[in-house]
């Protein structure tokens, strides 16, 4: 008798968490530790030091008019020259025509090295927008992992990140630097999306929540390590810090030899020989045997091992301890179904909105960190600590509540914290400023962990051969909004409360809209689109009396509570 493979039963037989899973998760965690480094490092390598225009008396006079000059004042971005012209006091104003003087070393940041201040200030902010623009491209490229496999795409992007970040430390002009910053975003996002998908598929359904928590701790740990390294190297050239951060990606080279392909992807794509070899490897490392694997799948068979298992295209004859090339007919999914299929279109649009709200809010808060009264390093450290504390809260919430409830709680708390900062700007005093910093830290920690929960939730909403595509396109949508995050400082010049109001409003809107998505907690990752249709049928039938079947056109217009 043939029946679809329950991959969770396969992992039950192979071992839910053994030496194999420990090796794979440890390797990929260490190799992806720099996940946050080059995305938020601009706070340390690209901040704007205090500065004034450079000017000498000889710059604003000539030999015939030297006595006409009464006073020369150099301001942040302009020079004021007062002259006596025929007995009248005349004030002339110019920009920093003769250079800029900084309170720090000229090479302390790339902003000071290339004088990206005053009228060139937008170029410095553009460097961060290009990173987020590159993340958009990287997210779109991530669906390659659905076609070619998780490992080759992840490793390629991770090695690309190593090459680009290492090269950045030696560039001599701003144009090359900006181009490399774009590719930093591309390689980082491609690396991160594929490894999160790999983590999800490495474990049993009951352990998927742990993957979301691992991802959260990894991001917070990455930010904490970045802050520590930046603080220790604060008196050195920004290129030294950039070089030190790039070295952390060297472990990507080890992944070439030690990282394996996702078993779930191999089964879904009928990679028979590789699947067989991987199962043999897991059996050996986890000290399991083939009979155990058979016994793990005896839920409905009077304790007699099944002879075969069907997985979409694949049939696994476990009793014979080998894999065959027998196939069953399966409709091939295509990435276009993310918008053409009515169920997946709903999933896509709402997850896109969630990613937009979280990206803009998180990176907006990060880029506003230098404006905090407590200073760059302490302000950034407090924010990273709040993310770590939020991870422990996430650990509790995601085990106790549903995915949707967890995301909504974090977004609501973050929104309230941001709205409260609007009140603090109307008061003065050191205590008020400290309260403001704490509120921003709470908002950052909440949105960061909402992000972590969304990272877990999004790929669970899509079938195996559209999983990376679904996650990648949602991430790409978010990165587009993140492009404007570096310019939030300009919004603060219009009104200090404007960024907080914008961020809080977006998060509250999607606190409501997420209720229209299905809950995935406790459900196995869907192999095929039809399994997602069954979710809606099941949920709809549970709330509808005397309904045995639900038409596709009907249930996709009914919100899933």
């Amino acid at each position: 008798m043939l029946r679809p493979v329950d991959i969770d039963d396969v992992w039950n037989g192979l071992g839910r968490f053994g030496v194999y899973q420990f090796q794979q998760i440890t390797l990929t965690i260490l190799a992806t530790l720099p996940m946050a480094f080059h995305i938020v490092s601009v706070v340390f390598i690209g901040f704007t030091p205090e500065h004034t225009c450079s000017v000498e008396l000889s710059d604003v006079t000539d030999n015939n008019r030297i006595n006409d000059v009464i006073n020369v004042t150099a301001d942040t971005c302009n020079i004021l020259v007062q002259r006596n012209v025929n007995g009248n006091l005349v004030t002339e104003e110019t920009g920093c025509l003769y250079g800029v003087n900084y309170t720090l070393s000229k090479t302390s940041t790339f902003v000071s090295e290339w004088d990206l201040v005053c009228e060139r200030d937008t170029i410095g902010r553009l460097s961060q927008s290009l990173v987020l623009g590159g993340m958009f491209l990287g997210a779109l490229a991530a669906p390659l992992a659905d076609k070619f496999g998780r490992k080759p795409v992840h490793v390629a992007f991770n090695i690309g990140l190593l090459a680009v970040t290492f090269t950045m430390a030696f560039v001599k002009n701003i144009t090359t630097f900006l181009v490399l910053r774009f590719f930093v975003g591309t390689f980082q996002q491609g690396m991160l999306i594929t490894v999160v998908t790999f983590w999800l598929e490495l474990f049993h359904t009951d352990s998927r929540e742990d993957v979301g928590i691992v991802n959260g701790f990894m991001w917070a740990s990455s930010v904490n390590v970045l802050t520590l390294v930046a603080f220790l190297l604060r008196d050195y050239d920004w290129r030294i810090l950039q070089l030190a951060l790039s070295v952390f990606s060297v472990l990507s080279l080890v992944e070439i030899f030690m990282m394996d392909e996702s078993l779930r992807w191999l089964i879904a794509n009928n990679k028979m020989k590789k699947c067989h070899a991987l199962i043999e490897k897991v059996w050996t490392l986890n000290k399991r045997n083939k009979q155990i694997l058979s016994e793990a799948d005896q839920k409905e068979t009077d304790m007699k091992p099944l002879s075969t298992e069907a997985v979409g295209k694949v049939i696994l004859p476990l009793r014979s301890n080998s894999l065959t090339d027998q196939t069953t007919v399966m409709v091939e999914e295509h990435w276009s179904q993310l918008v053409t299929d009515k169920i997946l279109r709903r999933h896509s649009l709402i997850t896109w909105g969630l990613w937009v709200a979280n990206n803009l809010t998180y990176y907006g808060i990060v880029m506003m960190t230098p404006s905090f009264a407590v200073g760059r390093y302490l302000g950034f450290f407090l924010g990273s600590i709040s993310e770590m504390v939020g991870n422990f809260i996430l650990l509790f919430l995601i085990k106790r509540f549903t995915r949707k409830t967890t995301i909504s709680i974090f977004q609501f708390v973050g929104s309230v914290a941001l709205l409260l900062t609007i009140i603090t700007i109307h008061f003065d005093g050191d205590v008020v400023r400290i309260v403001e910093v704490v509120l921003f830290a709470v908002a950052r920690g909440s949105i960061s962990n909402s992000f972590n929960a969304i990272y877990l939730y999004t790929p669970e909403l899509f079938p195996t051969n559209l999983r990376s595509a679904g996650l990648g396109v949602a991430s790409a949508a978010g990165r587009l909004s993140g492009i404007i995050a570096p310019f939030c400082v300009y919004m603060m010049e219009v009104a200090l409360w404007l960024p907080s109001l914008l961020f809080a409003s977006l998060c509250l809107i999607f606190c409501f809209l997420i209720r229209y998505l299905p809950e995935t907690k406790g459900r196995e990752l869907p192999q095929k689109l039809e399994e997602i249709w069954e979710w809606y049928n099941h949920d709809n039938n549970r709330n509808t009396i005397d309904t045995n079947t639900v038409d596709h056109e009907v249930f996709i217009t009914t919100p899933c509570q």
Side-chain angles (χ1 to χ4, degrees), residues 342-350 516 536 556-558:
K342 292 187 176 182
I343 291 179
L344 294 186
R345 181 164 63 241
R346 170 188 287 189
H347 291 192
S348 296
L349 291 175
I350 296 178
Y516 290 92
Y536 279 89
I556 53 102
T557 60
T558 303

Side-chain angles (χ1 to χ4, degrees), residues 221-239:
S221 299
S222 183
V223 173
N224 279 314
V225 172
L226 165 64
T227 308
L228 176 62
V229 174
F231 180 76
L232 294 175
L233 299 178
R234 64 190 182 280
D235 296 325
Y236 292 87
D237 190 315
W238 71 268
R239 296 174 185 275

Side-chain angles (χ1 to χ4, degrees), residues 54-129:
S54 175
V55 61
E56 300 290 341
L57 184 62
S58 59
D59 294 326
V60 295
T61 62
D62 54 44
N63 292 331
N64 297 324
R65 302 180 60 194
I66 189 169
N67 294 325
D68 293 342
V69 177
I70 298 175
N71 185 48
V72 178
T73 304
D75 204 348
T76 301
C77 289
N78 54 66
I79 300 171
L80 297 177
V81 180
Q82 292 181 318
R83 299 179 185 275
N84 180 0
V85 179
N86 299 325
N88 297 317
L89 182 63
V90 177
T91 301
E92 301 174 354
E93 181 177 343
T94 65
C96 296
L97 302 179
Y98 313 105
V100 182
N101 291 325
Y102 298 95
T103 56
L104 299 177
S105 165
K106 177 73 170 177
T107 58
S108 59
T109 76
F110 67 78
V111 169
S112 56
E113 178 170 335
W114 288 310
D115 290 331
L116 305 180
V117 295
C118 301
E119 66 274 5
R120 288 166 57 85
D121 174 67
T122 54
I123 299 177
R125 302 195 186 281
L126 178 62
S127 70
Q128 184 64 11
S129 292

Side-chain angles (χ1 to χ4, degrees), residues 289-512:
N289 59 58
K290 302 176 177 65
Q291 184 62 25
I292 289 176
L293 182 58
S294 294
E295 291 172 353
D297 204 22
Q298 297 171 19
K299 297 178 179 179
E300 302 176 2
T301 61
D302 297 326
M303 301 305 291
K304 294 180 180 179
L306 293 172
S307 61
T308 55
E309 292 284 351
V311 179
K313 297 178 183 177
V314 194
I315 299 174
L316 301 177
L318 300 177
R319 187 178 355 186
S320 63
N321 301 329
S322 63
L323 300 172
T324 73
D325 291 322
Q326 301 175 60
T327 60
T328 58
V329 178
M330 183 182 80
V331 178
E332 194 77 20
E333 286 102 355
H334 189 267
W335 65 267
S336 62
Q337 288 178 277
L338 294 177
V339 292
T340 58
D341 181 85
K342 292 187 176 182
I343 291 179
L344 294 186
R345 181 164 63 241
R346 170 188 287 189
H347 291 192
S348 296
L349 291 175
I350 296 178
T351 54
W352 295 353
L354 285 167
W355 279 78
V356 166
N358 277 263
N359 264 271
L360 183 59
T361 303
Y362 180 80
Y363 289 110
I365 293 174
V366 167
M367 297 308 297
M368 290 159 61
T369 296
S371 301
F372 295 166
V374 295
R376 175 172 298 98
Y377 294 99
L378 181 56
F380 203 81
F381 175 73
L382 289 176
S384 62
I385 289 298
S386 74
E387 293 186 34
M388 188 68 76
V389 172
N391 290 154
F392 288 102
I393 298 174
L394 175 64
L395 177 62
F396 169 77
L397 293 179
I398 209 164
K399 295 285 188 181
R400 187 175 182 85
F401 300 105
T402 64
R403 306 283 195 260
K404 296 194 294 183
T405 300
T406 301
I407 293 170
S408 297
I409 289 173
F410 278 119
Q411 290 204 304
F412 180 76
V413 172
S415 299
V416 171
L418 286 169
L419 291 174
L420 289 175
T421 63
I422 296 177
I423 300 176
T424 62
I425 64 176
H426 298 291
F427 299 91
D428 295 321
D430 293 339
V431 174
V432 175
R433 297 285 74 80
I434 293 174
V435 170
E436 183 180 46
V437 170
V438 171
L439 287 173
F440 271 111
V442 170
R444 175 174 158 183
S446 298
I447 297 304
S448 173
N449 282 281
S450 170
F451 224 146
N452 296 330
I454 290 171
Y455 240 119
L456 170 65
Y457 183 52
T458 300
E460 293 180 332
L461 292 169
F462 300 94
T464 296
N465 282 336
L466 291 176
R467 189 162 296 126
S468 288
L471 178 59
V473 176
S475 178
R479 306 312 171 186
L480 281 179
S481 68
I483 291 175
I484 69 173
F487 298 95
C488 290
V489 175
Y490 296 143
M491 295 172 62
M492 294 177 70
E493 292 175 0
V494 175
L496 287 175
W497 50 264
L498 188 56
S500 294
L501 180 62
L502 172 63
F503 301 154
S505 299
L506 281 174
C507 292
L508 288 174
I509 288 172
F510 285 97
C511 269
F512 170 76

Side-chain angles (χ1 to χ4, degrees), residues 165-173 180 238-239 242-243 246:
T165 54
F166 182 82
T167 305
M168 279 175 56
F170 302 96
V171 295
K172 298 300 182 182
N173 62 79
L180 292 176
W238 71 268
R239 296 174 185 275
Q242 177 62 42
L243 188 62
S246 70

